Amino acid sequence: MLLAGVLAGCSRDQGGQDARSDAGPARAPIVTISADQAVSPVPPWRAPAVEVTDANAAKLRRQASAALQAGNLFDDASGAIPLYLALRAHKSDDAATGQGLQRAVTALVKQGDEALQRIDDDPLSLRRAHEVAAVARVVAADDDRVTAYLERLDRADEAQEANRLGENALNADRLGEDGPGAIGHFREALRLRPGDVRAMQGLAASESTLIRRAELSASADDYETAARWLDQAAKVRPGFPSVDDARARIAMQRVVRVGRLRDLGIAALTREGGIDDARGYLATMLRIAPAADPASAELRQRIDLATHYGLFRPGQVLTDGIRNGGRGPQMVVIPHGAFRMGAAEGEPGGETERPARNIRFERGLAVSRYEITVGEFRRFVQASKHRPRATRRGYSTAYDERSGNFVRSGNVDWQDDYAGHPAADSMPVVHVSAKDATAYAQWLSEQTGQRYRLLSEAEFEYALRAGGGGLYPWGAGAPPPNSGNFTGSLDASPSGRHWRNAFARYGDGAWGPATVGRYDANAFGLHDMAGNVSEWVADCWHDTYRRAPRDGEAWLNPGCRSRVVRGGSWASSPNEMRSSWRTSGEANATSARTGFRVAREI
């Protein structure tokens, strides 16, 4: 009997693998056997009556030969086999008739095998194979060729029956993971008939069902059970990527889930009385997270700190989750404290850096560990649709290697490096204005729910000095090795240029900005506060510090056009590397030497 040939609603590739959408495998489809797919047993074949006489025998032999040549074997009285049988009955010892009948049997077996080979594409071809068998039993039941063919047909029937049993078990959700079931039946079908597409699709559907069980378990935070289902699924079709893909999806789901719990726990710590809530999130994390999970360890540590020291500690590195996905820049908590801001009497600084004054910060501050990178700024531009200044006006100031000068260059913006070439995502962003930098900080605030902003000038100098009080951030004299990207006498441009005014016998291996984090951090854990690129701060420009705020807040004037730039760049003279050095820049100006970093209030 012919059974259902394929799984309803399940497509296949050449390897028999079921096709799935990006959303992951669905439950195995319900298999039905329709009336037009079911086939009754083929009735015994009877040769059509053909009248043979001495007068028409020769003509009928010619007709039989032509029918055999055309492949018309038995469907009606004009077929080769009915004609040869009638001719043999008329004259049993005719050699030509006997030879023709043998050739017809050979062709008949060939047609039967061809029908068996079409079962995967046309389930009804099995009926044709049975019709061939019915004829063969009448014509040459004892022929070895027929006997072998009938054995092949029996195996095909048994494989179809195994598939039917497998589909019924699959519909009943009995896969056989703990005993007899669909998987065993489909494997039996493949043993009987290697390459059986129906059986391979059945195994693929069984695998999909096991994967779906794993996904449902993972959705309920039961990752241990999910792993067991995936282990079972991996045994169904070894070598296929479906289970590995599912493992990767569930692993990522687990990471996201654990990360979300961590973020919820950290957010709870910002609320009064939120420590108990954070402990609840941690308990869930410890139940579902892998051993030695860093996110669980982070939340545990944050809870301990909140319990004993408040939410943050000096030197702590943190990132905030961004609503659109991903995380914000790495931030380092710098300690509260006091310092003397500006150039002391006798230092080379001019009146713009005086009068020096004492500043005290009563609360710590988180400062971006590195200068904001091209990649971080790219995420902002793509998400916010902000059009930076240099992009809108179509040019910026870039370094010209041929002249050794900074010149206006067309088609240069934040995506480019100091020379106007495409910049890597790990490079500090340049060719941005103070307004672009402020817009980035505002976007971070909207995305994270925290207050991000540019540093005030006082905060920048405090973070740059990092507890030191010397002429330079590192003290006096030439910079220590690997302390930053400064103008050194050992530096050389791509064409061999050297600085005329540089630190003697110092080289940092860079001409132009370097990848963030390449050089050593200062005592507060911040990189490139001096050197690499100069940085916009929040203050409006004032020629001196007279009447400047004494609390470290930014000194602002409504509508001011000039902003403060702090920290020397890769192309700054030694004088501009001093801790108290400051200069002004038009708020819309962009160049290859100026970038920025941000602060986060805590």
Side-chain angles (χ1 to χ4, degrees):
M1 178 179 288
L2 178 62
L3 304 173
V6 295
L7 296 178
C10 186
S11 63
R12 62 182 174 85
D13 58 23
Q14 291 181 350
Q17 182 179 5
D18 57 310
R20 305 186 182 98
S21 70
D22 288 340
R27 187 187 184 278
I30 298 300
V31 181
T32 59
I33 302 176
S34 63
D36 62 342
Q37 289 175 304
V39 179
S40 301
V42 173
W45 183 74
R46 295 181 181 276
V50 178
E51 184 179 356
V52 183
T53 65
D54 290 340
N56 69 0
K59 178 181 179 182
L60 291 177
R61 276 194 294 273
R62 289 193 297 273
Q63 289 179 352
S65 179
L68 178 59
Q69 184 69 25
N72 178 13
L73 299 183
F74 62 85
D75 290 321
D76 52 37
S78 66
I81 290 176
L83 290 173
Y84 280 127
L85 290 176
L87 287 166
R88 187 176 68 177
H90 176 69
K91 188 176 181 182
S92 62
D93 60 350
D94 182 76
T97 297
Q99 292 170 358
L101 189 58
Q102 287 298 312
R103 292 196 300 272
V105 170
T106 299
L108 181 67
V109 172
K110 181 179 179 182
Q111 279 194 4
D113 283 330
E114 290 173 348
L116 289 176
Q117 291 172 1
R118 293 195 299 272
I119 291 175
D120 290 330
D121 299 317
D122 179 13
L124 296 182
S125 65
L126 189 58
R127 178 186 180 89
R128 184 64 175 176
H130 276 280
E131 291 172 348
V132 167
V135 175
R137 290 187 183 97
V138 172
V139 176
D142 296 331
D143 190 299
D144 289 344
R145 294 169 296 173
V146 172
T147 300
Y149 169 71
L150 294 176
E151 291 176 354
R152 293 192 290 275
L153 178 60
D154 287 343
R155 287 196 298 273
D157 284 338
E158 291 171 8
Q160 292 297 300
E161 175 65 8
N163 281 329
R164 184 187 70 80
L165 293 173
E167 289 158 1
N168 288 343
L170 180 62
N171 289 336
D173 206 28
R174 290 183 287 102
L175 302 185
E177 63 276 18
D178 296 319
I183 295 171
H185 290 305
F186 292 130
R187 284 181 175 152
E188 175 64 11
L190 286 172
R191 185 191 68 80
L192 292 165
R193 187 170 177 269
D196 188 289
V197 171
R198 184 178 174 187
M200 289 192 290
Q201 289 182 326
L203 287 177
S206 300
E207 178 192 72
S208 295
T209 300
L210 290 168
I211 289 174
R212 181 57 179 161
R213 291 178 185 177
E215 291 174 333
L216 290 173
S217 296
S219 296
D221 285 343
D222 188 355
Y223 293 99
E224 183 177 347
T225 300
R228 288 200 299 268
W229 287 128
L230 290 176
D231 289 342
Q232 291 286 347
K235 300 174 183 178
V236 177
R237 298 191 306 162
F240 281 83
S242 312
V243 176
D244 288 341
D245 292 344
R247 287 190 197 278
R249 287 196 305 272
I250 290 176
M252 180 54 65
Q253 174 186 336
R254 190 178 193 179
V255 168
V256 171
R257 171 71 170 141
V258 170
R260 175 61 176 160
L261 288 168
R262 174 198 56 199
D263 291 344
L264 289 171
I266 291 174
L269 292 175
T270 65
R271 303 190 298 267
E272 184 176 355
I275 291 179
D276 288 341
D277 291 339
R279 286 173 176 158
Y281 292 126
L282 177 61
T284 303
M285 291 175 68
L286 294 175
R287 179 172 59 83
I288 69 174
D293 174 63
S296 302
E298 179 187 359
L299 181 56
R300 186 197 300 274
Q301 184 181 53
R302 297 289 285 270
I303 291 173
D304 289 343
L305 288 170
T307 301
H308 300 290
Y309 308 105
L311 186 57
F312 299 101
R313 71 180 187 278
Q316 180 178 338
V317 178
L318 62 101
T319 61
D320 288 314
I322 293 178
R323 188 172 66 245
N324 289 348
R327 306 195 68 79
Q330 291 187 31
M331 309 295 292
V332 179
V333 177
I334 63 174
H336 68 87
F339 81 114
R340 187 161 183 80
M341 181 177 180
E345 294 298 328
E347 287 189 8
E351 290 304 308
T352 61
E353 300 170 16
R354 297 188 178 95
R357 67 197 192 282
N358 294 326
I359 301 289
R360 172 171 289 279
F361 298 103
E362 298 297 338
R363 187 171 178 82
L365 180 73
V367 178
S368 52
R369 189 177 192 177
Y370 311 109
E371 294 148 334
I372 298 303
T373 65
V374 173
E376 289 167 335
F377 198 77
R378 186 188 310 282
R379 180 186 297 176
F380 153 65
V381 171
Q382 292 174 344
S384 68
K385 309 306 179 187
H386 175 79
R387 295 194 69 223
R389 176 66 175 175
T391 303
R392 285 185 282 114
R393 70 185 180 187
Y395 68 87
S396 185
T397 301
Y399 178 75
D400 177 46
E401 178 67 25
R402 290 174 299 179
S403 65
N405 295 320
F406 289 89
V407 299
R408 178 187 289 188
S409 298
N411 298 318
V412 172
D413 67 4
W414 62 271
Q415 302 173 89
D416 299 308
D417 66 7
Y418 76 105
H421 305 305
D425 279 356
S426 58
M427 296 294 289
V429 67
V430 291
H431 305 296
V432 288
S433 69
K435 293 181 179 179
D436 295 330
T438 300
Y440 174 83
Q442 291 172 343
W443 174 79
L444 271 183
S445 299
E446 295 166 0
Q447 288 291 307
T448 63
Q450 304 296 333
R451 188 187 175 195
Y452 281 84
R453 55 177 174 78
L454 296 184
L455 282 74
S456 72
E457 186 175 4
E459 290 167 343
F460 190 96
E461 186 171 331
Y462 175 69
L464 180 147
R465 289 182 181 274
L471 181 64
Y472 299 110
W474 56 86
N482 205 54
S483 57
N485 183 7
F486 312 126
T487 50
S489 63
L490 303 181
D491 295 332
S493 77
S495 63
R497 292 179 179 276
H498 290 272
W499 301 113
R500 288 193 296 268
N501 184 10
F503 289 106
R505 296 180 300 281
Y506 182 79
D508 48 52
W511 189 278
T515 301
V516 299
R518 175 173 171 179
Y519 304 101
D520 295 338
N522 69 9
F524 283 175
L526 305 175
H527 294 259
D528 301 317
M529 291 298 298
N532 216 29
V533 297
S534 297
E535 301 178 26
W536 293 110
V537 294
D539 300 62
C540 295
W541 174 256
H542 298 85
D543 290 338
T544 72
Y545 287 144
R546 292 183 178 86
R547 297 185 301 278
R550 292 190 172 272
D551 57 3
E553 294 288 327
W555 192 2
L556 301 175
N557 301 103
C560 69
R561 296 184 178 181
S562 294
R563 300 281 283 275
V564 177
V565 176
R566 294 298 303 253
S569 76
W570 60 276
S572 297
S573 68
N575 179 63
E576 294 169 344
M577 291 296 173
R578 292 179 299 104
S579 298
S580 59
W581 178 81
R582 61 195 295 261
T583 191
S584 64
E586 199 272 323
N588 282 322
T590 63
S591 79
R593 293 189 288 185
T594 306
F596 69 100
R597 72 179 70 218
V598 292
R600 176 196 185 278
E601 295 189 356
I602 60 175

